[in-house]
Amino acid sequence: MKLHFLILGSALLCCQSSVWAAEITVSAAASLSNAFKDIAGQYQKRYPDTVIRLNTAGSGTLLQQAIRGAPVDVLAFADDETMDKAQAAGIVDKAARKIFARNTLVLVVPVKSRLNIRSINDLPSPDVRRIALSNPASVPAGRYGKAALERSGQWQKVLPKIIQTQHVRQSLDYVARGEVDAGFVYRTDAALMPGKVKIAATVQTDKTVSYPAAVVKDSRQATEARRFTDYLASVEAQNILRKYGFGKP
């Protein structure tokens, strides 16, 4: 009888362990919110014993959360620079990172805007009073936008007009509500609100807008985390990313 209970107890512990092993937290850049929600759903259908917890925010915010010990298994950023910082901090291994998608930075305006904005060179115009730009110190979209403005010689001219946002989706919301005259977002973000925003110009970036993902070194579910990052390269996941306008890696 005692042996029977020991075997039963061991079985229950194994079952409990397997349940915990199937749950991972994925911290993803805000611009990936919609696509990763669908990807997580498809992944859980393929692996029904798995639970994906999504945590979305600006890439810099996600990096700081991971550095401070937040329980994260996978990091997916909107630029290589942030992943380089994660690697330098010893959070991820170089061999554990891979680029799974690309994007394009655009300048958007409210769909009913009457301003003649066709490029970032039009932003210094006195008719343009407010411009949404994510914090360049922590958000890749903001960093790309600032660099483009600096290259064109417009940064100092438009600096007083900049309304700094926490992430690219906040910039999109500001433009959609007409609270700013223009904003820097990704093409995939603009596509989410075709009835509220329109693309005024494509912004040339000094680097390709790439999205890397990596398994966190301290992940307690490393095997599951690796399976998820590998899944991002699958035809199924890539089709979802294409649906939302992301480019091939």
Side-chain angles (χ1 to χ4, degrees):
M1 183 67 70
K2 289 183 178 180
L3 179 61
H4 173 74
F5 281 123
L6 285 173
I7 293 173
L8 178 60
S10 297
L12 288 173
L13 285 173
C14 288
C15 290
Q16 184 179 28
S17 177
S18 65
V19 170
W20 284 107
E23 182 175 315
I24 61 173
T25 297
V26 177
S27 285
S31 52
L32 292 167
S33 299
N34 299 71
F36 263 41
K37 183 177 180 181
D38 286 3
I39 287 174
Q42 289 300 319
Y43 184 87
Q44 290 172 149
K45 286 181 180 178
R46 174 171 289 195
Y47 306 107
D49 60 336
T50 305
V51 175
I52 305 295
R53 306 288 185 190
L54 283 180
N55 171 42
T56 58
S59 293
T61 298
L62 298 176
L63 173 61
Q64 290 306 311
Q65 289 175 354
I67 289 176
R68 292 168 184 165
V72 179
D73 302 289
V74 175
L75 291 172
F77 296 138
D79 70 335
D80 279 312
E81 184 175 330
T82 305
M83 192 62 80
D84 288 341
K85 292 178 180 177
Q87 186 177 319
I91 298 174
V92 300
D93 286 317
K94 181 179 181 180
R97 58 187 284 185
K98 60 188 69 178
I99 293 175
F100 63 90
R102 300 189 187 278
N103 213 334
T104 304
L105 189 70
V106 295
L107 183 67
V108 294
V109 298
V111 72
K112 295 182 180 181
S113 174
R114 296 182 179 180
L115 299 179
N116 187 27
I117 301 176
R118 297 183 179 180
S119 78
I120 59 176
N121 294 324
D122 295 321
L123 296 179
S125 168
D127 293 332
V128 179
R129 296 176 297 170
R130 293 181 294 274
I131 304 165
L133 179 72
S134 300
N135 184 359
S138 60
V139 184
R143 194 152 50 240
Y144 290 130
K146 179 183 178 182
L149 289 166
E150 288 177 332
R151 284 197 310 276
S152 65
Q154 310 300 335
W155 175 247
Q156 291 300 326
K157 299 176 184 177
V158 304
L159 186 55
K161 306 178 181 185
I162 296 295
I163 304 299
Q164 198 171 100
T165 65
Q166 296 179 351
H167 49 73
V168 71
R169 288 296 175 84
Q170 189 175 44
S171 294
L172 179 67
D173 287 340
Y174 282 3
V175 178
R177 295 197 297 263
E179 295 177 5
V180 296
D181 299 307
F184 289 84
V185 301
Y186 295 120
R187 186 175 297 277
T188 53
D189 298 307
L192 296 173
M193 294 187 173
K196 295 184 177 181
V197 306
K198 59 183 179 182
I199 296 175
T202 297
V203 180
Q204 297 300 316
T205 55
D206 54 349
K207 298 178 181 179
T208 302
V209 180
S210 301
Y211 287 74
V215 176
V216 175
K217 277 186 179 180
D218 292 338
S219 170
R220 295 182 180 180
Q221 318 296 340
T223 300
E224 191 67 43
R226 280 193 294 272
R227 186 165 72 170
F228 180 81
T229 56
D230 288 342
Y231 179 77
L232 294 175
S234 70
V235 173
E236 193 172 58
Q238 287 293 309
N239 284 340
I240 292 173
L241 289 164
R242 294 298 87 71
K243 182 182 76 171
Y244 283 98
F246 289 92
K248 293 182 179 181

